[in-house]
């Protein structure tokens, strides 16, 4: 398993777990990033937010917080 922010551009995976405080987990799951959901990384540039595609939506995520999301590739 990898952290979400370790996936390269155009690489896909399945969310395995979402860790963090109650606020973070609540926010991430409310936008559809839940265990079992498929994600594809659109952009992963250093010092920039991570841009992912999931559930027919483009989502920008804080790079640091993506370290709390584990992905099976």
């Amino acid at each position: 398993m990898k952290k979400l922010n370790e996936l390269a551009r155009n690489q896909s995976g399945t969310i395995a777990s979402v860790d963090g405080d109650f606020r973070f987990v609540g926010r991430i799951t409310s936008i559809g990033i839940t265990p079992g959901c498929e994600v594809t990384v659109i952009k992963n540039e250093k010092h920039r937010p991570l841009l992912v595609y999931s559930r027919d939506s483009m989502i920008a995520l804080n790079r640091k917080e993506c370290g709390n999301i584990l992905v099976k590739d």
Side-chain angles (χ1 to χ4, degrees), residues 45-46 60-61 70:
E45 299 173 357
K46 290 184 180 181
L61 298 170
L70 295 180

Side-chain angles (χ1 to χ4, degrees), residues 8-53:
R9 183 176 182 227
N10 295 325
Q11 194 172 5
S12 297
T14 303
I15 302 296
S17 69
V18 178
D19 297 320
D21 63 18
F22 180 76
R23 181 180 164 271
F24 171 72
V25 173
R27 185 170 53 87
I28 290 299
T29 56
S30 72
I31 60 173
I33 305 294
T34 57
C37 116
E38 292 286 326
V39 294
T40 302
V41 174
I42 303 301
K43 271 191 178 180
N44 187 357
E45 299 173 357
K46 290 184 180 181
H47 310 293
R48 305 285 300 188
L50 194 72
L51 187 61
V52 299
Y53 181 80

Side-chain angles (χ1 to χ4, degrees), residues 44-70:
N44 187 357
E45 299 173 357
K46 290 184 180 181
H47 310 293
R48 305 285 300 188
L50 194 72
L51 187 61
V52 299
Y53 181 80
S54 178
R55 300 183 192 250
D56 296 327
S57 298
M58 297 279 267
I59 304 165
L61 298 170
N62 179 307
R63 172 170 295 288
K64 182 179 176 185
E65 291 176 338
C66 288
N68 294 330
I69 303 171
L70 295 180

